[in-house]
Structures are given as structure tokens and as C-alpha cells.
Amino acid sequence: MRASAARNLPALLLGLREEGFSGTVRVAGTPGGTLHLRDGLVGAIETPGAPTATSALLTSGRIGDEDWLAACAAQRDAELLGEHLVADKLVGAVELEVICTAAVFDAAFAMSLGGPGSWELSDREPALLARPGVEPRQLTDETTRRIALLTRLWGTPGELARVRPVPGTGVVEGPLSARHENILNQVNGRRTARDLAFALGRGLYAVMLDLVRMESYGLLRWETPTVPGGRPSTAPRVTPGRTPAAGPPAPSRTEPLPRRMPRGGEKGGK
């Protein structure tokens, strides 16, 4: 298939699936990324916008650095590294498959938040793969669903990916969940959702959902943007259609996530 014939990346991937293409698709843009295909299925995606499966395994502490280095030294072919990790009982086969597959979906979502770019096809490169891989249509449908959900709950997902949360003053009934506490330990007004995802070894989409929920409880708020030509404002950031985080006591975290209307009628996704 000639890459120039596809009108967009999803159409390209569908065409490559029909052809059973095995190789690499390099996508330019912000953040852009590299997709690894096997028989037309997406086995891995590497992008600056989201952690890879490798990052999730190491940053979370699921596999220690020394064990990882030893495994890489013993099995230099990244295509076979997963089997080696399972054989050495460093991770279970099902767990590894879940982590690798989740990383593919998360990276596709992260790439969708940036502007579209050109692409080029090249030969296959070794990578830690989800097996057998993800169908391109399933990947597109799930990305669309995630964008629609975040748009309904908060607003434009691309904007949510850029905001820098700071700790709030809200409280919840009972102890914080471990994942919320971990996020609060990393929130400092300088880190974006992407930064938090990399710091925690978690998916970008999951972190963004947690940020929305935590803001609704008043556990965090968005950093006030810098006023052009002046110093940062000290007033709480209030976007049309939204209210400051401070207010009455936060609801129990077991309640459903409140719906948030898209700001100013903006639409999320592409």
C-alpha cells in the first residue's frame, strides 16, 4: 500500500491490516510516535506523550532495575524479551500481556491529543510487543471513546493534558486511595498529566481521569496561568462554566463522577 494514498492514520492502519504489513510506522507531529506492526496488528507504540510498557514495568517497581538489566543482557532480542521475563518468573504471562496491551491503547490516545503529522513506513524493528497485537479499528474506536468521555466530564482533552495541577483544600470521607495519594505526592504546580504519568509509571488516560475526579473533590486545582507581560496572578483560575475548587465539603469518593460540560462549547478530539 502506498502511504500517500491514505487520508489519515486510522485509514492507513486499516489498509496495512488488510495487507498483513509487518514493519514500523513513524508518525511526525506533537507528540508523534512510532508504531510497531506485526501482520497488520499494532503490537507496540512508542511516543513522548505516554509511558511505554517498559516504563510501566520499571517505574512502578514491578520489575527491579537489576533484574531488568540482567534479562536484557541474557535476551538481547526485544521481540523475545517478554518470553524471557515470564520464563524467569519476573512477571506473569497474563500480567505482561495486560500491561503491553494497555500501553498500546494509552499511547494511541496520547498521540491523538496532538496535531496530525506525516508518516513513513520502514522495516520492522525489535520491540516489547503485545501479542498478538491490537486491531487498528479497535484502537481507533477506543481512542474515540476516551476522548468523548473526557470531553463530557471536563472539556477539551488536549487542554487537560497541558494544565498543571496544584494541591487543593478538599477532603474525602475515609482514607485516600493509594493512586490518589500517589498523585498528590507528585503534584507541585509544575507537572502536567503527562509528567505525572511518567513519574508514576501509569497510563496518561488513567491519570487524567483521576485528575478530573480529584478536582471535583477539591483535592487539587489547576495552576493559575501566567498573565502575559506580568507576574502570575494569585487569583483562583476560573474558566467559564466552571467553579473554583474551594467550597463546601467534598462528596464521598464512592459517588459517581460528576459530569462536566465542555468549556465554551469546545469539542474534544479530532
Side-chain angles (χ1 to χ4, degrees):
M1 176 181 180
R2 290 171 299 184
S4 59
R7 67 183 184 277
N8 53 37
L9 185 58
L12 172 70
L13 294 179
L14 287 175
L16 295 176
R17 173 56 172 145
E18 292 177 359
E19 293 184 0
F21 173 80
S22 291
T24 304
V25 182
R26 300 186 185 281
V27 182
T30 305
T34 301
L35 292 80
H36 299 272
L37 275 65
R38 300 293 183 268
D39 299 321
L41 298 176
V42 183
I45 302 178
E46 299 163 354
T47 172
T52 61
T54 298
S55 178
L57 287 168
L58 294 178
T59 306
S60 66
R62 181 61 184 83
I63 298 180
D65 291 342
E66 292 186 2
D67 288 335
W68 178 264
L69 292 175
C72 291
Q75 178 51 262
R76 297 184 180 277
D77 186 348
E79 296 265 324
L80 303 176
L81 180 59
E83 296 177 7
H84 185 84
L85 295 173
V86 172
D88 278 4
K89 302 186 184 305
L90 295 175
V91 65
V94 174
E95 182 183 6
L96 180 62
E97 184 62 26
V98 169
I99 291 173
C100 289
T101 302
V104 171
F105 281 106
D106 195 58
F109 165 74
M111 288 180 64
S112 74
L113 301 182
S118 60
W119 56 77
E120 63 177 8
L121 307 183
S122 60
D123 295 336
R124 59 189 292 169
E125 298 176 2
L128 181 61
L129 301 171
R131 297 184 184 276
V134 180
E135 289 283 354
R137 189 175 299 279
Q138 183 184 8
L139 196 60
T140 299
D141 290 346
E142 176 60 17
T143 298
T144 300
R145 185 195 70 81
R146 294 183 179 194
I147 290 174
L149 177 60
L150 282 173
T151 299
R152 187 168 71 248
L153 296 176
W154 193 88
T156 306
E159 184 177 345
L160 177 58
R162 293 189 295 270
V163 298
R164 302 173 187 271
V166 296
T169 58
V171 295
V172 294
E173 297 178 4
L176 280 177
S177 67
R179 70 176 194 274
H180 287 174
E181 185 173 1
N182 289 339
I183 287 178
L184 282 178
N185 289 337
Q186 296 290 336
V187 164
N188 58 10
R190 296 188 301 273
R191 295 188 175 102
T192 63
R194 171 194 172 278
D195 298 329
L196 294 170
F198 274 94
L200 298 169
R202 293 185 58 203
L204 174 65
Y205 175 69
V207 168
M208 290 171 72
L209 280 180
D210 275 344
L211 291 179
V212 173
R213 181 182 294 274
M214 293 171 71
E215 188 219 9
S216 73
Y217 296 162
L219 294 175
L220 56 80
R221 58 185 177 82
W222 313 126
E223 182 191 40
T224 303
T226 301
V227 178
R231 63 186 181 88
S233 169
T234 56
R237 178 179 185 236
V238 181
T239 305
R242 300 172 69 81
T243 58
S252 168
R253 68 176 187 275
T254 60
E255 295 183 5
L257 190 65
R259 293 172 178 261
R260 295 209 178 244
M261 297 300 295
R263 61 192 68 194
E266 293 175 344
K267 296 180 180 180
K270 297 183 178 180

